[in-house]
Coordinates of all heavy atoms in Angstrom, one line a residue:
A30 N 0.8 -1.2 0.0 CA 0.0 0.0 0.0 C 0.9 1.2 0.0 O 0.5 2.2 -0.7 CB -0.9 0.0 1.2
L31 N 2.0 1.2 0.7 CA 2.8 2.4 0.8 C 3.5 2.7 -0.6 O 3.6 3.8 -1.0 CB 3.9 2.2 1.9 CG 4.9 3.3 2.1 CD1 4.1 4.6 2.5 CD2 5.8 3.0 3.3
Y32 N 3.9 1.6 -1.3 CA 4.5 1.8 -2.6 C 3.4 2.4 -3.5 O 3.7 3.3 -4.3 CB 4.9 0.4 -3.2 CG 6.3 0.0 -2.7 CD1 6.5 -1.1 -1.8 CD2 7.5 0.6 -3.2 CE1 7.7 -1.5 -1.4 CE2 8.7 0.1 -2.8 CZ 8.8 -0.9 -1.9 OH 10.1 -1.3 -1.5
S33 N 2.2 1.9 -3.5 CA 1.2 2.4 -4.4 C 0.9 3.8 -4.1 O 0.8 4.7 -5.0 CB -0.1 1.5 -4.2 OG -1.1 2.0 -5.1
N34 N 0.7 4.2 -2.8 CA 0.4 5.6 -2.4 C 1.5 6.5 -2.8 O 1.2 7.7 -3.2 CB 0.2 5.6 -0.9 CG -1.0 4.9 -0.4 OD1 -1.9 4.5 -1.2 ND2 -1.1 4.6 0.9
A35 N 2.8 6.1 -2.7 CA 3.9 6.9 -3.1 C 4.0 7.2 -4.6 O 4.8 8.0 -5.0 CB 5.2 6.3 -2.6
N36 N 3.3 6.3 -5.4 CA 3.3 6.4 -6.8 C 2.0 6.7 -7.4 O 1.5 6.1 -8.4 CB 4.0 5.2 -7.4 CG 5.4 5.0 -7.0 OD1 6.3 5.6 -7.6 ND2 5.7 4.2 -6.0
D37 N 1.2 7.7 -6.8 CA 0.0 8.2 -7.3 C -1.1 7.1 -7.3 O -2.0 7.1 -8.2 CB 0.1 8.8 -8.7 CG 1.1 10.0 -8.7 OD1 1.1 10.7 -7.7 OD2 1.9 10.1 -9.6
R38 N -1.1 6.1 -6.4 CA -2.0 5.1 -6.2 C -2.1 4.2 -7.5 O -3.1 3.6 -7.8 CB -3.4 5.6 -5.9 CG -3.5 6.4 -4.7 CD -3.3 5.6 -3.4 NE -4.4 4.7 -3.2 CZ -5.5 4.9 -2.4 NH1 -5.6 6.1 -1.8 NH2 -6.4 4.0 -2.2
R39 N -1.0 4.1 -8.2 CA -1.0 3.2 -9.4 C -0.7 1.8 -9.0 O -0.1 1.5 -8.0 CB 0.1 3.7 -10.3 CG -0.2 5.0 -11.1 CD 0.9 5.4 -12.0 NE 2.0 6.0 -11.2 CZ 3.2 6.3 -11.7 NH1 3.5 6.0 -13.0 NH2 4.2 6.7 -11.0
R40 N -1.1 0.9 -9.9 CA -0.8 -0.5 -9.7 C 0.6 -0.9 -10.3 O 1.2 -1.9 -9.8 CB -1.9 -1.4 -10.3 CG -3.2 -1.4 -9.5 CD -4.2 -2.3 -10.0 NE -3.7 -3.7 -10.1 CZ -3.7 -4.6 -9.1 NH1 -4.1 -4.2 -7.9 NH2 -3.3 -5.8 -9.2
N41 N 1.0 -0.2 -11.3 CA 2.3 -0.4 -11.9 C 3.0 0.9 -12.1 O 2.4 1.9 -12.4 CB 2.1 -1.1 -13.3 CG 1.2 -2.3 -13.2 OD1 1.6 -3.3 -12.6 ND2 0.1 -2.3 -13.9
A42 N 4.3 0.9 -11.8 CA 5.1 2.1 -11.9 C 6.6 1.7 -12.3 O 7.1 0.7 -11.8 CB 5.1 2.9 -10.6
A43 N 7.2 2.6 -13.0 CA 8.6 2.4 -13.4 C 9.3 3.7 -13.7 O 8.6 4.7 -14.0 CB 8.7 1.4 -14.6
M44 N 10.6 3.7 -13.6 CA 11.4 5.0 -13.9 C 12.8 4.6 -14.0 O 13.3 3.5 -13.6 CB 11.2 5.9 -12.7 CG 11.9 7.3 -12.9 SD 11.3 8.3 -14.2 CE 9.8 8.9 -13.5
V45 N 13.6 5.4 -14.8 CA 15.0 5.3 -14.9 C 15.6 6.6 -14.3 O 15.2 7.7 -14.6 CB 15.5 5.1 -16.3 CG1 17.0 5.1 -16.4 CG2 14.9 3.9 -16.9
F46 N 16.6 6.5 -13.4 CA 17.3 7.7 -12.9 C 18.7 7.4 -12.5 O 19.1 6.2 -12.3 CB 16.5 8.2 -11.6 CG 16.5 7.2 -10.5 CD1 17.4 7.2 -9.5 CD2 15.5 6.2 -10.4 CE1 17.5 6.3 -8.4 CE2 15.5 5.3 -9.3 CZ 16.5 5.4 -8.4
P47 N 19.5 8.4 -12.3 CA 20.9 8.2 -11.8 C 21.0 7.9 -10.3 O 20.7 8.7 -9.5 CB 21.6 9.6 -12.1 CG 20.5 10.6 -12.1 CD 19.2 9.8 -12.5
K48 N 21.3 6.7 -10.0 CA 21.4 6.2 -8.6 C 22.7 6.8 -8.0 O 22.7 7.2 -6.8 CB 21.4 4.7 -8.6 CG 21.4 4.1 -7.1 CD 20.1 4.4 -6.5 CE 19.9 3.6 -5.2 NZ 20.9 4.1 -4.1
Q49 N 23.8 6.8 -8.7 CA 25.1 7.3 -8.3 C 25.8 8.0 -9.4 O 25.6 7.6 -10.6 CB 26.0 6.3 -7.7 CG 25.5 5.5 -6.5 CD 26.5 4.7 -5.8 OE1 27.4 5.2 -5.1 NE2 26.5 3.4 -6.1
G50 N 26.5 9.1 -9.1 CA 27.3 9.8 -10.1 C 28.3 10.6 -9.3 O 28.0 11.7 -8.9
W51 N 29.5 10.1 -9.1 CA 30.5 10.8 -8.2 C 31.9 10.7 -8.8 O 32.2 9.8 -9.7 CB 30.4 10.2 -6.8 CG 30.6 8.7 -6.7 CD1 29.6 7.8 -6.5 CD2 31.8 8.0 -6.8 NE1 30.1 6.5 -6.4 CE2 31.5 6.6 -6.6 CE3 33.2 8.3 -6.9 CZ2 32.4 5.6 -6.6 CZ3 34.1 7.3 -6.9 CH2 33.7 5.9 -6.8
V52 N 32.7 11.6 -8.3 CA 34.1 11.6 -8.6 C 34.9 11.7 -7.3 O 34.5 12.4 -6.4 CB 34.5 12.7 -9.6 CG1 34.2 14.1 -9.0 CG2 36.0 12.7 -9.9
R53 N 36.0 10.9 -7.2 CA 36.7 10.8 -5.9 C 38.2 11.2 -6.2 O 38.8 10.7 -7.2 CB 36.6 9.5 -5.3 CG 37.5 9.3 -4.0 CD 37.1 8.1 -3.3 NE 37.1 6.9 -4.1 CZ 36.5 5.8 -3.8 NH1 35.8 5.6 -2.7 NH2 36.5 4.7 -4.6
F54 N 38.7 12.1 -5.4 CA 40.1 12.5 -5.5 C 40.9 11.9 -4.3 O 40.5 12.1 -3.1 CB 40.2 14.0 -5.4 CG 39.4 14.7 -6.5 CD1 38.1 15.2 -6.3 CD2 39.9 14.8 -7.8 CE1 37.4 15.8 -7.3 CE2 39.2 15.4 -8.8 CZ 37.9 15.9 -8.6
N55 N 41.9 11.1 -4.6 CA 42.7 10.5 -3.6 C 44.0 11.2 -3.4 O 44.5 12.0 -4.2 CB 43.0 9.0 -4.0 CG 41.7 8.2 -4.2 OD1 40.8 8.3 -3.3 ND2 41.6 7.5 -5.3
G56 N 44.7 11.0 -2.2 CA 46.0 11.6 -1.9 C 45.9 13.1 -1.7 O 46.9 13.8 -2.0
L57 N 44.8 13.6 -1.1 CA 44.7 15.0 -0.9 C 45.7 15.4 0.2 O 46.0 14.7 1.1 CB 43.3 15.3 -0.4 CG 42.2 15.1 -1.5 CD1 40.9 15.5 -0.9 CD2 42.5 15.9 -2.7
L58 N 46.2 16.7 0.1 CA 47.1 17.3 1.1 C 48.4 16.4 1.2 O 49.0 16.4 2.3 CB 46.4 17.4 2.5 CG 45.1 18.2 2.5 CD1 44.5 18.2 3.9 CD2 45.3 19.6 2.0
G59 N 48.7 15.8 0.1 CA 50.0 15.0 0.1 C 50.0 13.7 0.9 O 51.0 13.1 1.1
S60 N 48.8 13.2 1.3 CA 48.7 12.0 2.1 C 47.8 11.0 1.4 O 46.7 11.3 1.0 CB 48.1 12.3 3.5 OG 47.8 11.1 4.2
P61 N 48.3 9.8 1.2 CA 47.5 8.7 0.5 C 46.3 8.3 1.4 O 45.4 7.6 0.9 CB 48.5 7.6 0.4 CG 49.6 7.8 1.4 CD 49.7 9.3 1.5
A62 N 46.3 8.7 2.7 CA 45.2 8.3 3.6 C 44.0 9.2 3.3 O 42.9 8.8 3.8 CB 45.6 8.5 5.0

């Protein structure tokens, strides 16, 4: 019921979206930690 209510009381629902999208910089301030 919670899934249906959160999607406009529909019985079927689907979507495509970016779950993650990040960039990471290592070794900041001269330390590999």
Side-chain angles (χ1 to χ4, degrees):
L31 186 55
Y32 278 108
S33 179
N34 294 345
N36 294 281
D37 301 322
R38 299 295 291 268
R39 287 178 287 171
R40 289 185 55 81
N41 306 299
M44 180 66 73
V45 178
F46 65 91
K48 186 71 170 62
Q49 298 192 78
W51 52 260
V52 58
R53 178 167 49 199
F54 302 96
N55 301 312
L57 297 180
L58 305 176
S60 172

